[in-house]
């Protein structure tokens, strides 16, 4: 098992995505003068993306959402509120506020009730940044965007994340939220842990390492992650990280576990990673 830097999460190649721009003219204006030239390191916008939808066993539907920060180096911070919101309002609140560079898939999901889907209703995520308003609708029952919980062609599945050994597990973009809210003091380190196991169903019996990366999902400042350690076990293991906050406030951190070394696993294939979330309350020094 290996620890993967957060930057790896944002380096995936775009694939299954949904149309997103509100203003085609505005988006066109953002393009570099030469289409094949690398994007500049700073100065561009971030757009919300609809990845696809899952049918849940209880009759509800999950829509998976990610984003594309066009900058090659600049991260953007767009706090929830008038510039970062989801409608209808009852589904607003769990979208990311921090956007590292490049395309990042499936960072959170929204669960839609069956009656809403049957009525053809959708949710819409809007980001307003650098003078542009960029929105994406997300709904279920669009066959081209249907995702599945089942194994990939060679049997790969998203790793299972647990917050205690043998505890409840979560898998896929929906993932799992830690049952406790952690408390920390600004400037003082906090240790977080999880268990990530690869329970894929490969006919060959092949085993691939599980990688874990950590990012700030919500909060007034970007947290610093250090001392990442993974305890090796067959098919997975325990991962720990030290996180330090520079400012007090309410935070949500996201851990991503993946088995992207498997030939049928990759962000562009919408498989196989899982999200684990932590709520942290940080008080002043």
């Amino acid at each position: 098992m290996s620890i993967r830097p957060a930057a790896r999460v944002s380096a995936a190649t775009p694939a299954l995505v949904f149309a997103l721009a509100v203003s085609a003219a505005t988006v066109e204006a953002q393009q570099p003068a030469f289409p094949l030239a690398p994007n500049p390191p700073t100065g561009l916008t971030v757009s919300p993306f609809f990845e696809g939808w899952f049918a849940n066993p209880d009759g509800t539907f999950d829509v998976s959402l990610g984003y594309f920060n066009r900058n090659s180096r600049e991260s953007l911070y767009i706090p929830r509120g008038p510039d970062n919101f989801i409608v209808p309002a009852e589904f607003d609140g769990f979208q990311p506020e921090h956007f590292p560079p490049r395309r990042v898939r499936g960072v959170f999901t929204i669960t839609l009730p069956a009656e809403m889907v049957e009525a053809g209703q959708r949710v819409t995520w809007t980001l307003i940044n650098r003078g542009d308003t960029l929105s994406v609708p997300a709904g279920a029952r669009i066959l081209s965007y249907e995702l599945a919980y089942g194994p990939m062609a060679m049997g790969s599945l998203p790793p299972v994340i647990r917050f205690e050994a043998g505890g409840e597990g979560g898998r896929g973009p929906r993932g799992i939220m830690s049952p406790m809210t952690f408390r920390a003091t600004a400037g003082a380190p906090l240790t977080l842990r999880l268990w990530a196991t690869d329970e894929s169903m490969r006919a060959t019996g092949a085993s691939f390492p599980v990688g874990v990366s950590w990012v700030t999902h919500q909060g007034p400042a970007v947290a610093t992650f250090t001392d990442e350690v993974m305890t090796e076990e067959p098919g997975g293991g325990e991962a720990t990280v030290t996180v330090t906050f520079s400012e007090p406030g309410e935070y949500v951190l996201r851990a991503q576990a993946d088995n992207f070394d498997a030939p049928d696993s990759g962000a562009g294939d919408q498989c196989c990673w899982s999200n684990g979330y932590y709520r942290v309350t940080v008080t002043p020094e």
Side-chain angles (χ1 to χ4, degrees):
M1 179 171 292
S2 62
I3 297 288
R4 292 193 169 122
R8 183 182 184 281
V9 176
S10 62
T13 302
L16 181 62
V17 297
F18 195 84
L20 61 110
V22 162
S23 169
T26 302
V27 172
E28 183 177 355
Q30 300 164 359
Q31 301 303 313
F34 302 98
L36 297 181
N39 281 353
T42 62
L44 298 182
T45 58
V46 57
S47 301
F49 264 66
F50 171 48
E51 315 288 5
W53 59 274
F54 299 89
N56 297 319
D58 63 0
T60 63
F61 298 84
D62 279 359
V63 292
S64 175
L65 293 133
Y67 61 84
F68 182 23
N69 177 353
R70 295 175 177 80
N71 300 292
S72 61
R73 281 189 285 177
E74 182 185 19
S75 295
L76 297 180
Y77 172 53
I78 308 175
R80 289 167 294 158
D83 292 338
N84 180 0
F85 62 91
I86 292 171
V87 292
E90 64 188 280
F91 300 101
D92 185 44
F94 200 63
Q95 66 271 28
E97 297 179 316
H98 296 275
F99 302 90
R102 312 306 293 172
R103 179 78 165 91
V104 184
R105 292 173 170 80
V107 297
F108 75 108
T109 62
I110 296 173
T111 300
L112 306 180
E115 55 271 25
M116 180 177 175
V117 173
E118 296 305 325
Q121 298 174 328
R122 302 175 180 178
V123 296
T124 300
W125 182 19
T126 297
L127 292 174
I128 301 174
N129 56 115
R130 291 185 164 142
D132 287 342
T133 299
L134 301 165
S135 298
V136 64
R141 295 297 194 195
I142 306 169
L143 294 181
S144 300
Y145 293 94
E146 182 175 10
L147 305 174
Y149 292 112
M152 298 291 281
M154 299 180 66
S156 288
L157 288 167
V160 176
I161 291 179
R162 296 180 172 86
F163 292 108
E164 60 179 359
E168 179 183 0
R171 172 184 287 165
R174 184 178 195 176
I176 186 170
M177 172 68 76
S178 173
M180 67 175 293
T181 298
F182 293 82
R183 296 188 177 279
T185 302
L190 170 69
T191 298
L192 300 174
R193 55 177 36 86
L194 61 78
W195 283 258
T197 56
D198 184 4
E199 301 179 7
S200 295
M201 305 170 65
R202 302 184 184 95
T204 62
S207 177
F208 296 93
V210 175
V212 176
S213 57
W214 313 75
V215 295
T216 307
H217 187 74
Q218 295 178 350
V222 175
T224 300
F225 299 94
T226 59
D227 301 327
E228 297 143 308
V229 175
M230 190 68 93
T231 302
E232 295 286 348
E233 296 177 10
E238 178 185 1
T240 61
V241 68
T242 298
V243 56
T244 306
F245 303 89
S246 61
E247 296 183 20
E250 299 296 328
Y251 288 79
V252 175
L253 308 178
R254 182 173 69 91
Q256 176 178 298
D258 67 69
N259 52 22
F260 285 163
D261 286 349
D264 59 343
S265 174
D269 297 326
Q270 294 291 337
C271 191
C272 298
W273 73 91
S274 298
N275 295 322
Y277 304 94
Y278 304 83
R279 295 189 188 277
V280 185
T281 298
V282 180
T283 56
E285 295 182 66

